[in-house]
């Protein structure tokens, strides 16, 4: 992290250590690709393993401006440590540069965050919903999405060239 | 969503769809091959979970594959965010139904670190024993099913026999077979039953015999070796880039195991080795799992021999329920009990990312607490998620038959991948 601060002093918004001693850094959304590139490719760092990522909706927290946080967990096999990055985005413009060109492992996680929080990733090759269906309205992990909200069943999709077996009318 | 695959127009005469008879001699001339899209799943017996694979085939070669998940999605995060920390435990059990205790303890480990809590030594030993027992059942199922789907029924039966024996021990310990909910914040639910350690030792001896049988039936079996060796190959660099962990990564030759890299509980006191493969193919993933089971047996034996006496849960009524005589006999006990049940454990505000080594790899938890008795955010980093994401990369351009062993050995678990 010291190295990142030294290279890109303007990229780091905030740095702190959590209760268990884990190091965190909050990064400007625009600088995320270059910080990640440094973390991945610097021979001293080599954070090559894309651990995980997820979003946080800070709507009900004391500090909630901007509303969303996206958390990245990277791991370095060489240094045997995790690094935790964060990017904050507002509700009005929830767009972050995608890390998929850098880490192929980011592909599905970014789809997951898009699906659940509605945060878009600029440059993602295939930003579809991953766990929910395309017709789903809204993003269910946002805190203003009600726990018991229900959505209507969707009609069957038309599928070309489908053959249905005996006992059916033949075509849908 | 419009289906992303479109059927290419059949070129020329096609005996499968045209009503007329083919010209004389064409049926004998060559096998007709055309592009086709098939669906495997959502509940195909070889997919070990509910996943739909849209496979585009050219003959027997896979041109494109698109795994579609979400059929088991039950809103894990949202559910956790609306109950107390303790009430999350049954949800975590169901992430991977074959290693419930590992998910359970992994979540608790993160919560305890968020509180800043040290659990009693005996509880740490029991957590290690429980985790390794469930690592055994998980791997036994995976290896047994791999054998089964390669055509060998006997190895599967041997695996099931060993798994049944271990699950009997788990039942004696926890009262449940699959979804145990055995952990508690600050320790565990119950102490070991009388005479349980000896029963476990006998079970482990029998498990070793059964493992040797499975080893003899599979490891040098011509069909099994032909179908797994050199199929589903992934290089170490690619595996790391996709975020693989656990046995799947170690089979590619990376000796990374969180039990050694970041020892938690009392793992650093035990003598065991990391199983590492070389080629990153299905055969190596199978071998790594076999070796890990032997190492787990080693760990359990050492833990049973050296487990100390003492409490199994912290003596702090803000975190653990008071003993029943206190609840029934004192007003402080009643109040502590009531507050814990109604309000939940008051975890101080903060956030944490913590990971343990589950049977399929790094099980990570990113937790945020706002100090109000319920988790504000529970993120689970399921080990199967990045592994499944890499399937198109390793299987495109290969044969359809390679898909089955690949899917077996990566051991995708629906419950955790789909949350």
């Amino acid at each position: 992290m010291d190295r990142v601060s030294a290279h890109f002093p303007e990229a780091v918004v905030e740095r702190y250590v959590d209760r268990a001693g884990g190091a965190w850094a909050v990064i400007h959304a625009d600088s995320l690709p270059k910080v990640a590139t440094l973390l991945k490719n610097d021979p001293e760092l080599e954070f090559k393993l894309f651990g995980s990522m997820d979003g946080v909706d800070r709507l009900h927290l004391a500090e909630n401006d901007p509303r969303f946080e996206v958390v990245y967990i990277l791991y370095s096999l060489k240094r045997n440590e995790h690094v935790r990055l964060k990017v904050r985005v507002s509700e009005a413009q929830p767009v972050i540069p995608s890390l998929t060109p850098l880490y192929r492992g980011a592909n599905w996680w970014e789809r997951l965050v898009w699906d659940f929080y509605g945060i878009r990733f600029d440059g993602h090759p295939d930003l579809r919903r991953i766990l929910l269906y395309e017709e789903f309205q809204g993003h269910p992990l946002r805190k203003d999405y009600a726990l018991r909200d229900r959505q209507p069943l969707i009609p069957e999709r038309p599928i070309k060239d489908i053959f249905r077996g005996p006992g059916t009318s033949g075509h849908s | 969503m419009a289906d992303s695959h479109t059927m290419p127009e059949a070129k020329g005469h096609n005996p499968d769809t045209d009503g007329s008879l083919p010209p004389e001699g064409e049926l004998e001339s060559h096998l007709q091959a055309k592009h086709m899209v098939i669906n495997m799943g959502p509940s195909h017996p070889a997919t070990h979970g509910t996943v739909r694979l849209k496979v585009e085939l050219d003959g027997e070669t896979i041109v494109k594959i698109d795994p579609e998940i979400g059929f088991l999605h039950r809103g894990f995060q949202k559910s956790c965010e609306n109950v107390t920390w303790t009430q999350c435990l049954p949800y975590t059990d169901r992430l991977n139904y074959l290693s419930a205790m590992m998910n359970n303890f992994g979540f608790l480990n993160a919560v305890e670190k968020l509180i800043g809590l040290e659990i009693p030594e005996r509880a740490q030993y029991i957590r290690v024993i429980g985790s390794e027992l469930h690592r055994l059942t998980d791997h036994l199922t995976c290896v047994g099913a791999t054998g089964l789907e390669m055509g060998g029924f006997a190895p599967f039966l041997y695996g099931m026999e060993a798994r049944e024996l271990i699950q009997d021990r788990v039942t004696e310990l926890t009262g449940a077979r699959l979804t145990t909910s055995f952990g508690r914040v600050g320790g565990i639910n119950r102490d070991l039953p009388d005479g349980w350690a000896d029963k476990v030792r006998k079970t482990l001896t029998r498990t070793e015999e059964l493992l040797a049988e499975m080893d003899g039936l599979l490891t040098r079996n011509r069909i099994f070796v032909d179908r797994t060796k050199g199929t589903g190959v992934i290089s170490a660099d690619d595996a790391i880039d996709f975020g693989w962990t656990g046995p799947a990564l170690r089979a590619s030759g990376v000796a990374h195991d969180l039990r050694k890299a970041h020892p938690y509980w009392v793992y650093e006191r035990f003598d065991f080795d990391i199983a590492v493969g070389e080629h990153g193919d299905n055969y190596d993933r199978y071998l790594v799992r076999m070796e890990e089971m032997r190492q787990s047996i080693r760990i359990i034996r050492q833990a049973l021999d050296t487990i100390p006496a003492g409490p199994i849960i912290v003596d702090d009524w803000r975190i653990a329920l008071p003993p029943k005589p206190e609840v029934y006999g004192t007003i402080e006990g009643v109040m502590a009990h009531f507050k814990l049940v109604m309000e939940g454990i008051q975890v101080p505000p903060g956030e944490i990312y913590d990971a343990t080594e589950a049977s399929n790899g790094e099980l990570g938890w990113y937790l945020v607490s706002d100090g109000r008795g319920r988790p504000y955010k529970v993120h689970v980093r399921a080990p199967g998620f990045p592994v499944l994401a890499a399937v198109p990369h390793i299987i495109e351009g290969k044969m359809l038959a390679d898909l089955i062993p690949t899917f077996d050995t990566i051991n995708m678990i629906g419950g955790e991948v789909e949350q």
Side-chain angles (χ1 to χ4, degrees):
Chain A
M1 267 303 119
D2 290 335
R3 235 182 148 75
V4 173
S5 292
H7 269 80
F8 309 113
E10 77 292 346
V12 182
V13 182
E14 198 183 319
R15 281 174 57 183
Y16 57 94
V17 172
D18 68 25
R19 213 166 288 133
W24 292 82
V26 185
I27 307 285
H28 279 297
D30 301 336
S31 342
L32 180 69
K34 63 179 182 186
V35 171
T37 311
L38 175 76
L39 285 171
K40 186 184 179 190
N41 294 336
D42 190 298
E44 297 275 296
L45 302 170
E46 291 199 356
F47 284 92
K48 289 193 170 172
L49 200 148
F50 191 87
S52 175
M53 77 184 266
D54 209 336
V56 185
D57 182 355
R58 306 196 295 166
L59 191 62
H60 301 316
L61 288 180
E63 199 185 313
N64 60 3
D65 184 48
R67 178 169 165 186
F68 296 109
E69 266 178 353
V70 176
V71 181
Y72 295 84
I73 315 284
L74 306 175
Y75 189 80
S76 166
L77 290 162
K78 183 175 184 175
R79 299 171 65 90
N80 193 13
E81 65 182 31
H82 283 100
V83 65
R84 301 149 173 89
L85 297 181
K86 262 184 180 182
V87 170
R88 290 180 182 147
V89 283
S90 65
E91 191 181 357
Q93 215 182 9
V95 185
I96 296 177
S98 171
L99 285 189
T100 308
L102 189 62
Y103 293 96
R104 278 176 287 178
N107 187 324
W108 275 29
W109 289 111
E110 286 179 349
R111 283 175 65 188
L112 191 85
V113 175
W114 157 248
D115 193 355
F116 284 162
Y117 289 97
I119 296 165
R120 272 178 287 122
F121 292 89
D122 200 13
H124 190 286
D126 182 25
L127 197 62
R128 290 178 287 148
R129 287 184 181 271
I130 188 162
L131 289 179
L132 299 166
Y133 45 95
E134 282 300 309
E135 290 86 349
F136 193 89
Q137 303 285 320
H139 301 282
L141 280 186
R142 290 189 174 191
K143 290 281 176 187
D144 51 10
Y145 188 94
L147 177 65
R148 299 208 177 276
D149 208 349
R150 291 286 183 271
Q151 302 224 357
L153 290 172
I154 54 163
E156 193 176 351
R157 293 174 191 146
I159 300 168
K160 226 177 92 183
D161 294 332
I162 193 164
F163 174 76
R164 290 178 195 275
T168 58
S169 58
H171 291 283
S172 57
Chain B
M1 180 193 68
D3 214 286
S4 56
H5 302 300
T6 48
M7 296 275 277
E9 291 298 315
K11 289 186 188 71
H13 175 72
N14 188 336
D16 290 349
T17 51
D18 292 2
S20 58
L21 282 171
E24 194 71 26
E26 182 163 305
L27 279 179
E28 288 79 29
S29 60
H30 64 281
L31 199 62
Q32 291 284 331
K34 56 178 178 175
H35 260 256
M36 63 186 293
V37 182
I38 61 164
N39 279 306
M40 255 179 88
S43 52
H44 191 276
T47 53
H48 297 203
T50 328
V51 60
R52 174 180 168 219
L53 300 169
K54 288 191 278 189
V55 190
E56 192 181 332
L57 291 173
D58 177 22
E60 274 191 273
T61 311
I62 296 172
V63 181
K64 192 166 188 276
I65 183 168
D66 183 18
E68 200 175 279
I69 59 174
F71 296 94
L72 272 182
H73 178 56
R74 64 210 154 97
F76 171 76
Q77 289 195 18
K78 195 91 175 172
S79 306
C80 285
E81 286 162 19
N82 285 281
V83 295
T84 64
W85 293 91
T86 314
Q87 284 168 334
C88 291
L89 292 179
Y91 297 135
T92 62
D93 280 342
R94 283 149 182 80
L95 286 173
N96 182 348
Y97 28 83
L98 288 171
S99 49
M101 275 199 262
M102 285 176 146
N103 306 317
N104 212 219
F105 296 158
F107 172 72
L108 290 171
N109 199 35
V111 176
E112 281 149 9
K113 281 198 179 159
L114 189 55
I115 304 176
L117 194 67
E118 180 79 17
I119 67 168
E121 206 167 81
R122 188 172 172 87
Q124 297 186 26
Y125 271 82
I126 296 175
R127 281 191 183 182
V128 168
I129 295 169
S131 296
E132 296 306 321
L133 281 176
H134 263 169
R135 193 187 306 279
L136 277 168
T137 59
D138 198 311
H139 283 1
L140 279 168
T141 312
C142 174
V143 171
T146 309
L148 178 71
E149 279 145 27
M150 299 302 104
F153 193 45
F156 179 70
L157 287 180
Y158 288 129
M160 286 305 109
E161 185 186 338
R163 197 184 97 173
E164 284 301 303
L165 284 170
I166 296 168
Q167 275 182 341
D168 285 348
R169 301 293 88 76
V170 171
T171 313
E172 287 157 9
L173 178 67
T174 67
R177 281 172 64 78
L178 282 174
T179 49
T180 55
S181 293
F182 188 51
R184 293 291 180 274
V185 180
I188 51 162
N189 185 14
R190 271 177 279 183
D191 208 343
L192 303 182
D194 286 340
W196 189 75
D198 282 331
K199 274 182 163 178
V200 173
R201 285 194 190 95
K202 279 184 198 142
T203 301
L204 292 181
T205 311
R206 178 67 186 144
T207 307
E208 276 176 327
E209 288 168 24
L210 290 162
L211 273 179
E213 293 276 3
M214 291 170 81
D215 188 51
L217 281 168
L218 289 175
T219 307
R220 283 180 301 283
N221 181 305
R222 188 61 202 263
I223 298 171
F224 185 78
V225 172
D226 280 356
R227 285 198 66 185
T228 53
K229 223 172 205 171
T231 60
V233 185
I234 189 164
S235 70
D237 285 344
D238 281 349
I240 291 170
D241 198 31
F242 273 108
W244 283 29
T245 50
L249 175 65
R250 292 194 279 275
S252 295
V254 182
H256 171 59
D257 187 325
L258 287 173
R259 290 176 292 175
K260 292 270 190 195
H262 295 277
Y264 47 97
W265 305 328
V266 285
Y267 269 115
E268 74 270 20
R269 298 187 194 173
F270 304 125
D271 191 19
F272 65 100
D273 304 318
I274 305 178
V276 184
E278 207 176 316
H279 311 290
D281 58 1
N282 290 322
Y283 190 64
D284 277 13
R285 287 198 277 275
Y286 154 77
L287 288 180
V288 165
R289 284 214 165 78
M290 289 298 272
E291 184 56 32
E292 271 186 22
M293 284 193 269
R294 296 185 193 107
Q295 299 299 331
S296 287
I297 292 174
R298 261 175 90 186
I299 296 174
I300 300 171
R301 286 224 170 95
Q302 293 171 48
L304 287 174
D305 290 343
T306 54
I307 184 167
I312 53 157
I313 194 158
V314 288
D315 182 23
D316 184 340
W317 292 2
R318 290 168 304 166
I319 287 162
L321 289 174
K324 282 291 171 284
E326 303 284 346
V327 179
Y328 299 143
T330 65
I331 189 68
E332 292 83 3
V334 177
M335 280 171 65
H337 191 284
F338 180 81
K339 281 181 83 69
L340 265 184
V341 172
M342 299 309 288
E343 292 170 8
I345 295 161
Q346 305 295 309
V347 174
E351 61 187 334
I352 195 166
Y353 178 81
D354 182 63
T356 54
E357 184 77 22
S359 56
N360 289 321
E362 176 176 332
L363 181 75
W365 297 90
Y366 170 63
L367 305 174
V368 181
S369 169
D370 59 356
R372 270 187 283 200
R374 290 177 177 198
Y376 187 78
K377 161 90 192 165
V378 175
H379 158 71
V380 56
R381 184 252 187 233
F385 191 81
V387 176
L388 184 63
V391 163
H393 167 74
I394 58 180
I395 209 70
E396 277 175 7
K398 306 294 190 311
M399 305 288 272
L400 180 62
D402 296 346
L403 183 60
I404 306 297
T406 307
F407 234 88
D408 287 334
T409 54
I410 63 169
N411 206 11
M412 173 263 179
I413 303 289
E416 58 179 26
V417 170
E418 304 169 22
Q419 311 195 346

